[in-house]
Amino acid sequence: MLIEFDLMPEDARLWIYQANRPLSNQEFSFVKKYTEQFLSQWQAHGQDLIASYKIKYNQFLVISVDETSSKASGCSIDSSVHLIKDLEKELEISFITTNKVAFLIEDKIHLFSFNNLKEQISNSIITQETKVFDNTVKNIEEFKTKWLVPSTQTWVRRYFK
């Protein structure tokens, strides 16, 4: 069952898929429609999942499930990954960019490889105040408070030493 993202409880589980580039307006509409179709019929062991999504900065697809009535199972999570794979194939985009870290610099998303972070810091492209997207947050509460924070409040701080 698809509900509004803002109606999800604070402890609702979530997954963040970071695209390797921003979505065009047409791609945004396609992702929205395709994701809504999937989530409106998403189930685990025959039980409807209460789910929602949000597209942030035209580059992050955030999927959430309220597990108070039905928990997402391994099979249901696998089916959501198929959704992502279908989107990637259709749009020729990657939503699973685990080798890149996203930063918000001057209101624009910048992706840097892990191997390149020290260089970006030494060139002052990334500073201690530069906001980083922490896609490892696990629920809505963390999404609201820990997803986009200064670099020094995340694992990136170790590169400033």
Side-chain angles (χ1 to χ4, degrees):
M1 174 174 37
L2 178 65
I3 68 169
E4 291 291 321
F5 191 85
D6 294 336
L7 298 177
M8 295 298 279
E10 295 288 300
D11 63 346
R13 187 173 178 187
L14 61 78
W15 298 266
I16 300 172
Y17 298 97
Q18 172 182 297
N20 62 334
R21 62 171 173 78
L23 299 169
S24 69
N25 290 339
Q26 184 177 358
E27 290 170 332
F28 183 96
S29 296
F30 180 82
V31 169
K32 184 176 188 276
K33 180 180 176 185
Y34 203 79
T35 303
E36 286 175 1
Q37 287 174 344
F38 172 81
L39 294 180
S40 66
Q41 51 193 338
W42 196 18
Q43 292 187 332
H45 303 293
Q47 297 289 318
D48 287 342
L49 292 173
I50 300 169
S52 192
Y53 79 100
K54 192 172 211 93
I55 301 170
K56 297 289 285 182
Y57 296 94
N58 278 352
Q59 202 157 342
F60 299 90
L61 175 58
V62 182
I63 295 176
S64 181
V65 63
D66 177 357
E67 295 186 305
T68 54
S69 59
S70 292
K71 294 204 180 297
S73 65
C75 291
S76 63
I77 293 168
D78 286 349
S79 69
S80 70
V81 173
H82 288 296
L83 161 75
I84 300 304
K85 294 291 185 191
D86 290 346
L87 290 171
E88 289 180 326
K89 184 177 179 184
E90 183 67 31
L91 302 176
E92 297 180 1
I93 194 170
S94 175
F95 275 103
I96 303 177
T97 54
T98 56
N99 62 337
K100 303 228 181 218
V101 183
F103 292 86
L104 186 62
I105 302 172
E106 296 178 7
D107 296 323
K108 189 172 179 195
I109 307 291
H110 293 266
L111 300 177
F112 299 113
S113 70
F114 288 98
N115 299 338
N116 199 356
L117 291 182
K118 279 192 174 196
E119 179 183 339
Q120 299 303 325
I121 290 169
S122 66
N123 291 333
S124 297
I125 306 289
I126 299 171
T127 68
Q128 293 184 12
E129 293 80 33
T130 303
K131 302 268 180 133
V132 63
F133 294 90
D134 183 357
N135 296 328
T136 65
V137 296
K138 294 175 178 54
N139 58 42
I140 297 286
E141 179 184 12
E142 288 183 5
F143 178 72
K144 290 177 180 176
T145 61
K146 297 179 181 177
W147 179 54
L148 180 58
V149 294
S151 297
T152 55
Q153 292 181 21
T154 70
W155 56 269
V156 177
R157 71 179 166 268
R158 70 178 173 226
Y159 290 99
F160 290 98
K161 295 179 180 178

